[in-house]
Amino acid sequence: MKIRKVCILGGTGFVGRHVAYELSRRGILCRIPSRRPHRARDIQLFPGCEVTQIGKFETEELQEQFKGYDAVINLVGILNPSRNSSYHDIHAELVSHVVDAAINSSVKHLLHMSAINASESCGKSNYLRSKGEGENRAHTLSRHHIAVTSFRPSVIFGAEDSFINRFNRLMKLPGPLPLACPDSKFAPVYVNDVAQAFANALGSEETFGKRYELCGPKVFSLHDIVDYIIKHTGRKKTVIALGKNSSLLQATLLGLVPGKPFTLDNYRSLQTPAVCSRDGLAELGVTATSMDQVVPDYLR
């Protein structure tokens, strides 16, 4: 299937910018709808990329954005709900609007960003259940109309990430670092590898109907990752590994803080190892990049 033009939802975010750059590099035209296009002027410097204005991410407005485009990539997601947007609104209901608009616009291929451990029936948190419901909607509602491929990454790292950089910022605070869920497992995957996976899958009939787990080459505990940051920044920091009850208490208290840096739902998500059962990157022709190849440079 030849794909020449792609509409990227969530294209102004961390992963979206890398996906847009990778597609631009391959000569694919990209449209990126945004409520605040003036904040994404840098993306328009990528050859063949345009950022357009959109009001609401609902069927009719999305349909206008999708007209004339061969494929849609949906990267929209939230880590915590807000007063105006719940997990269900963003991860499930939005997907229904995307599928309806894509069908009405004769889109050929929908690529959908899910999450490792996403499960509508078995997810341990509202985040994981809503992600699972959205992924299932993408595959079932589009059946017989649009080819769908979904991706389930572990935590994603890169120079502008909100994971490694968040803990790096916490290291600068005075005093010891109380670390909740220190034994939680991750297989961090590099953002450029994720972008390549999307680009390689685009229009490939071998990927239609499939769900790819995306992980890096090594599994870390959360404590390992914090120690890694300490080592590569040269800081002296005492880390206090919290047990279950203390972790629950921290999640309860921080969930009340503006910005919600850590919530009970985040705590529940961390109870399932974010590791892959299959090497989706390899299946898509991508060699996984280790943290050692990237992270020390941007921590410095």
Side-chain angles (χ1 to χ4, degrees):
M1 181 186 292
K2 185 67 175 176
I3 302 294
R4 297 182 178 85
K5 300 172 71 177
V6 178
C7 187
I8 307 173
L9 303 179
T12 61
F14 168 51
V15 176
R17 289 169 185 267
H18 288 267
V19 171
Y21 176 78
E22 180 63 26
L23 297 184
S24 169
R25 194 179 66 82
R26 300 186 185 201
I28 295 172
L29 300 179
C30 299
R31 168 179 285 174
I32 300 167
S34 173
R35 290 193 179 97
R36 302 174 184 86
H38 62 280
R39 296 186 181 180
R41 290 178 182 141
D42 57 312
I43 299 177
Q44 301 197 69
L45 298 177
F46 301 163
C49 287
E50 66 165 345
V51 181
T52 58
Q53 177 77 50
I54 187 170
K56 295 182 179 179
F57 282 67
E58 294 181 354
T59 302
E60 289 187 4
E61 291 198 47
L62 290 170
Q63 189 173 322
E64 287 299 314
Q65 298 287 339
F66 296 169
K67 279 182 180 177
Y69 279 72
D70 305 310
V72 170
I73 295 176
N74 179 30
L75 302 172
V76 179
I78 54 173
L79 290 176
N80 289 307
S82 66
R83 183 179 300 174
N84 299 320
S85 301
S86 68
Y87 285 130
H88 187 263
D89 292 336
I90 302 301
H91 296 157
E93 287 299 320
L94 174 60
V95 176
S96 297
H97 291 303
V98 170
V99 172
D100 287 345
I103 291 172
N104 294 338
S105 306
S106 301
V107 167
K108 301 172 185 175
H109 193 186
L110 170 62
L111 284 72
H112 176 76
M113 177 70 92
S114 184
I116 199 79
N117 299 323
S119 172
E120 185 173 2
S121 59
C122 302
K124 291 192 174 182
S125 64
N126 291 328
Y127 172 83
L128 292 174
R129 287 190 292 274
S130 65
K131 275 289 192 178
E133 182 180 353
E135 184 177 1
N136 289 339
R137 289 193 187 196
H139 282 272
T140 57
L141 297 179
S142 59
R143 191 171 294 165
H144 310 307
H145 299 283
I146 305 170
V148 174
T149 306
S150 59
F151 303 82
R152 317 176 106 225
S154 184
V155 64
I156 301 174
F157 69 89
E160 310 87 13
D161 69 49
S162 59
F163 181 65
I164 299 292
N165 284 308
R166 172 179 291 185
F167 281 101
N168 189 29
R169 287 192 295 271
L170 289 174
M171 299 298 172
K172 299 175 183 178
L173 298 177
L177 174 68
L179 183 64
C181 308
D183 297 324
S184 297
K185 296 293 190 294
F186 304 90
V189 59
Y190 185 35
V191 64
N192 282 5
D193 294 345
V194 173
Q196 285 188 52
F198 272 83
N200 289 356
L202 197 60
S204 170
E205 294 184 10
E206 292 180 358
T207 72
F208 293 174
K210 294 185 178 178
R211 309 180 189 216
Y212 291 93
E213 296 183 345
L214 306 180
C215 284
K218 185 176 178 180
V219 174
F220 295 82
S221 70
L222 186 55
H223 205 310
D224 291 336
I225 291 172
V226 170
D227 287 342
Y228 187 94
I229 296 169
I230 292 172
K231 173 185 174 182
H232 287 285
T233 56
R235 292 195 182 92
K236 292 182 179 180
K237 191 76 171 176
T238 300
V239 179
I240 301 174
L242 300 182
K244 179 180 179 180
N245 291 337
S246 298
S247 296
L248 275 168
L249 177 60
Q250 187 188 74
T252 301
L253 294 175
L254 291 181
L256 301 175
V257 173
K260 298 182 179 181
F262 186 53
T263 67
L264 283 171
D265 204 72
N266 300 151
Y267 168 85
R268 296 184 186 106
S269 292
L270 291 175
Q271 302 315 298
T272 307
V275 299
C276 292
S277 58
R278 296 179 59 180
D279 190 349
L281 285 179
E283 292 173 11
L284 291 165
V286 180
T287 301
T289 302
S290 71
M291 283 176 47
D292 287 339
Q293 294 173 262
V294 178
V295 175
D297 285 339
Y298 71 80
L299 283 179
R300 283 194 290 269

